[in-house]
Amino acid sequence: DAMVIQNPRYQVTQFGKPVTLSCSQTLNHNVMYWYQQKSSQAPKLLFHYYDKDFNNEADTPDNFQSRRPNTSFCFLDIRSPGLGDAAMYLCATSREARAGYGETQYFGPGTRLLVL
Amino acid sequence: AQSVSQHNHHVILSEAASLELGCNYSYGGTVNLFWYVQYPGQHLQLLLKYFSGDPLVKGIKGFEAEFIKSKFSFNLRKPSVQWSDTAEYFCAVKKGTASKLTFGTGTRLQVTL
């Protein structure tokens, strides 16, 4: 089945130690998103890749970076995790056309990050 | 800034009761509207969506939602809930051709037997 895969499902890191979360998709969608969801809060968009074009949200801290080496994979790098970065990180994909309206986003299961 | 409001944070219903969850948004232009559901331990799944046309949309598992443009609302309804509908429900809005999806804070639905 076509899907959005996130590894690992749970990640524990130490304060200040860089960590990378990964996302892959078999949907061949051209747009990939990273969201942060803290407990009892709405998912919040960090950034997205439209094809190879990186689009950062204005309020995303510099501590968060992303890489998309090819269509199928996208990584979230947290350079120096703080205690406040503990959250669920969701990857999503969609197939978008620049001239058209937004399409449905398909979500992965998420990676829960714990910062010690 | 665009915002999405879900006024009910936690709803408890008995099986067979009717459900209506409110969703209001602040953006005045063309919007795409979504309801996602997250069952315990599972990922976000699309329940239904509105892009254009008939403002009453039907989704999976007997859910429906009505887009009322004049009220900036997209309320979710189900005439008779089941225990298996226990989940968190998120309303989300995309404006125009933008890719960004803005979520509401979610409503936790608990259905009792």
Side-chain angles (χ1 to χ4, degrees):
Chain A
D1 288 340
M3 57 177 58
V4 182
I5 303 159
Q6 290 187 247
N7 286 306
R9 295 292 304 276
Y10 299 90
Q11 176 74 56
V12 181
T13 191
Q14 293 177 335
F15 183 93
K17 184 175 181 181
V19 66
T20 295
L21 309 181
S22 71
C23 176
S24 64
Q25 53 124 343
T26 60
L27 297 160
N28 202 32
H29 285 170
N30 61 325
V31 189
M32 295 186 76
Y33 310 79
W34 279 104
Y35 290 84
Q36 179 192 64
Q37 185 180 20
K38 295 187 176 181
S39 182
S40 302
Q41 295 184 22
K44 179 178 175 298
L45 182 65
L46 295 173
F47 28 59
H48 73 277
Y49 271 95
Y50 196 121
D51 297 321
K52 295 181 180 179
D53 297 333
F54 178 70
N55 298 270
N56 199 29
E57 292 300 300
D59 56 354
T60 298
D62 293 340
N63 198 25
F64 292 85
Q65 304 286 321
S66 186
R67 295 170 285 134
R68 189 179 186 186
N70 53 53
T71 301
S72 301
F73 286 86
C74 195
F75 300 98
L76 170 61
D77 301 308
I78 308 176
R79 294 192 296 190
S80 182
L83 298 179
D85 296 327
M88 178 73 86
Y89 290 88
L90 303 172
C91 176
T93 73
S94 68
R95 185 185 62 235
E96 304 270 346
R98 289 196 187 272
Y101 290 118
E103 295 291 336
T104 302
Q105 291 185 18
Y106 295 85
F107 284 82
T111 295
R112 186 169 295 282
L113 178 68
L114 180 63
V115 181
L116 301 178
Chain B
Q2 182 179 345
S3 68
V4 182
S5 300
Q6 291 183 244
H7 306 294
N8 313 106
H9 298 295
H10 190 191
V11 173
I12 303 173
L13 294 173
S14 299
E15 257 200 338
S18 64
L19 170 72
E20 181 159 3
L21 301 182
C23 174
N24 289 89
Y25 61 93
S26 61
Y27 180 64
T30 302
V31 291
N32 305 146
L33 301 160
F34 304 81
W35 276 97
Y36 281 87
V37 60
Q38 190 169 28
Y39 298 103
Q42 297 189 26
H43 60 280
L44 280 165
Q45 302 171 44
L46 182 69
L47 203 54
L48 49 78
K49 62 186 179 184
Y50 172 80
F51 281 2
S52 63
D54 188 345
L56 182 64
V57 292
K58 295 191 183 299
I60 59 172
K61 304 186 180 186
F63 286 90
E64 65 178 31
E66 185 175 12
F67 170 51
I68 303 179
K69 191 173 182 178
S70 60
K71 294 185 177 180
F72 299 92
S73 71
F74 190 55
N75 292 355
L76 181 71
R77 299 194 292 250
K78 186 171 183 178
S80 176
V81 294
Q82 299 174 306
W83 179 79
S84 59
D85 293 325
T86 295
E88 187 140 21
Y89 293 81
F90 290 93
C91 180
V93 177
K94 261 190 186 183
K95 55 179 183 179
T97 57
S99 297
K100 180 175 180 175
L101 197 62
T102 301
F103 282 87
T105 52
T107 298
R108 186 175 298 277
L109 172 65
Q110 185 178 348
V111 180
T112 61
L113 296 171

